[in-house]
Amino acid sequence: MSSMPIPDQHLVEHTTGSEELLQGSFLHAFRDTVRLPDGRSATREYVKHPGAVMVVPMLDDGRLVLERQYRYPLQRVMVEFPAGKLDAGESTFTCAQRELLEETGYSATEWARAGMLHPVIAYSTEFIDIWFARGLTLGERHLDAGEFLDVFTATLPELLDWCRDGQVTDSKTLTAALWLQNLASGAWSLDWQPTASVVA
């Protein structure tokens, strides 16, 4: 197995100054001045993000729980898995449980953490922790004020077709599809744990 060369010091940019551009209720934007590896200066504009989770809920019959939600920046309805940002001091597992219940009404008896995704590395610190959930029980949704979304189910072949045809373009959902495809083939595996045993 090949690995990335280390060390990477010859690629690192060093911050020499920082200017706050925006402090919103959700996003925090900056413009930094950096020294490049060749000694020249450049600017980097980026957004600090609190982090988020995505949940891939799997029903006992193999169907997947998905959502349709209008995303204002793109001015369109997107197909995606349940997800949401971390509250201050919240663990990613607690956030995953909360978002699954709030958005879909489902709770799960088993969970598996798949890893982490960085969806917009060019201009944001955002990370998304990827959780899989099974042993689902349907209850009542608790959507946030101003949150509107449809919950529906689909098979893995249907989801993969939508990814191939460009109907699904959300990066986190495309990443989940990669995981699901490799799980179905047996190439990858997950470490499932009962809810009470998950180390948050």
Side-chain angles (χ1 to χ4, degrees), residues 159-178:
L159 175 60
L160 294 176
D161 284 348
W162 299 335
C163 294
R164 180 198 62 207
D165 297 340
Q167 296 179 64
V168 171
T169 60
D170 170 56
S171 63
K172 66 183 181 298
T173 303
L174 292 170
T175 299
L178 173 68

Side-chain angles (χ1 to χ4, degrees), residues 9 78 86 132 148 157 167:
Q9 195 56 37
M78 304 291 284
L86 293 168
F132 280 69
F148 303 91
Q167 296 179 64

Side-chain angles (χ1 to χ4, degrees), residues 78-112:
M78 304 291 284
V79 171
E80 48 190 303
F81 281 107
K85 72 176 182 68
L86 293 168
D87 287 341
E90 187 177 40
S91 73
T92 62
F93 177 58
T94 300
C95 183
Q97 290 180 293
R98 176 177 56 78
E99 289 293 342
L100 178 63
L101 181 62
E102 286 179 357
E103 294 189 357
T104 71
Y106 282 103
S107 56
T109 60
E110 290 186 288
W111 293 83

Side-chain angles (χ1 to χ4, degrees), residues 26-27 29 33 46 56 62-63 73 88 92-93 100 116 123 128 134 137 143 158 181 183 191 200:
F26 175 38
L27 299 177
T33 305
Y46 64 98
V56 182
R63 288 178 298 138
T92 62
F93 177 58
L100 178 63
M116 184 182 292
Y123 61 86
I128 300 175
R134 69 184 183 187
T137 302
L143 294 175
E158 287 173 330
Q181 193 172 38
L183 288 170
D191 179 19

Side-chain angles (χ1 to χ4, degrees), residues 124-137:
S124 178
T125 63
E126 181 179 5
F127 69 87
I128 300 175
D129 229 35
I130 305 168
W131 288 86
F132 280 69
R134 69 184 183 187
L136 302 182
T137 302

